[in-house]
Amino acid sequence: MRLLRASFPDRPAVDAAVGEALLRGALPGPVLRIARPGPTVGFGRLDAIRPGFADAARAARAHGFEPVLRTPGGHAAAYHHGSLLVELVAPGEDPVSGMRERFADFSSTLATALQALGVDARVGPVDGEYCPGDYSVNAGGQVKLAGVAQRLVRRAWMVGAELVVEDGAPVRAVLTDVYAALGLELDPATAAAVEDVAPQVTVDDVERALLGAFPIGARLALDDGLVAAAEALAPRHSVAS
């Protein structure tokens, strides 16, 4: 597994497109991307066809978060400077096969990394959570720390998560207004940052723990070709004002 550290915090649509560029590039072997994003609300494709989507995008911008369409599925997730994007991309002749196993393995690895930092991290849904899913990473079964989603294309797959580590208040605030606009249920109290349950833990700590939890080999350089591919795909992830 090769590691790619590539972040475009000032260009959220490009940031969202990096994963798709990796996915469609079908690079040999798995690639793990760890990124530090800017303030972003990543909407799912199903969100974009809901009647309240335009209002939800405006609500995101009103909170200082840029709305984008994210590569993996699911409903809206919010993340920012105190978060980590974690994306695992790999080729596969039959990407549909093994979906559940990938969900379980990826979520378990995230939880294991957090457990090493003293967090009571578990895998499973939380009642009232944003972007509900069976493989959410939660703390003590009470609050959500990360959502996990997948995207499949021909002969490749991606599984990814947005893990909020620090400064959870702005995330709760923007999600409250975004979900209200979308007409989706949300209990804002379930949207947490790692520091809400483990105040001593920082983004740097979590990044180091993730690097230790995944079987990483060589580092993958961010080359001009990948950047150009992401920039070309960025309009697919942009949301009109």
Side-chain angles (χ1 to χ4, degrees), residues 129-148:
E129 68 181 0
Y130 65 90
C131 190
D134 291 340
Y135 297 95
S136 297
V137 178
N138 68 70
Q142 301 298 312
V143 294
K144 182 168 184 167
L145 304 176
V148 177

Side-chain angles (χ1 to χ4, degrees), residues 3-7 32-37 81-87 109-110 112-117 119 163-166 194 200-216 219:
L3 173 67
L4 174 67
R5 280 193 173 116
S7 303
L32 179 72
R33 179 189 176 219
I34 298 180
R36 299 198 181 195
H81 58 277
S83 309
L84 291 170
L85 294 181
V86 188
E87 297 172 336
T109 301
L110 295 184
T112 297
L114 293 174
Q115 290 162 6
L117 298 171
V119 180
L163 177 58
V164 183
V165 182
E166 301 174 11
V194 173
Q200 75 282 3
V201 175
T202 67
V203 176
D204 288 342
D205 294 332
V206 174
E207 185 169 18
R208 282 192 293 269
L210 290 171
L211 295 176
F214 284 95
I216 296 168
R219 182 165 177 170

Side-chain angles (χ1 to χ4, degrees), residues 5 12-13 19 70-71 96 102 111 130 132-133 161 184 186 207 217 227:
R5 280 193 173 116
R70 57 195 179 103
T71 297
V96 175
R102 287 195 297 271
Y130 65 90
L184 296 172
L186 170 70
E207 185 169 18
V227 173

Side-chain angles (χ1 to χ4, degrees), residues 42 44 46-47 50 70 72-78 103 107 123-138 143-150 160 162 175 178-179 182-187 190-191:
L46 291 178
D47 293 330
R50 294 186 72 87
R70 57 195 179 103
H75 287 298
F103 267 125
S107 299
V123 176
V126 174
D127 288 342
E129 68 181 0
Y130 65 90
C131 190
D134 291 340
Y135 297 95
S136 297
V137 178
N138 68 70
V143 294
K144 182 168 184 167
L145 304 176
V148 177
Q150 287 197 58
E162 300 85 16
L175 286 176
V178 163
Y179 271 67
L182 291 173
L184 296 172
E185 293 186 3
L186 170 70
D187 177 358
T190 64

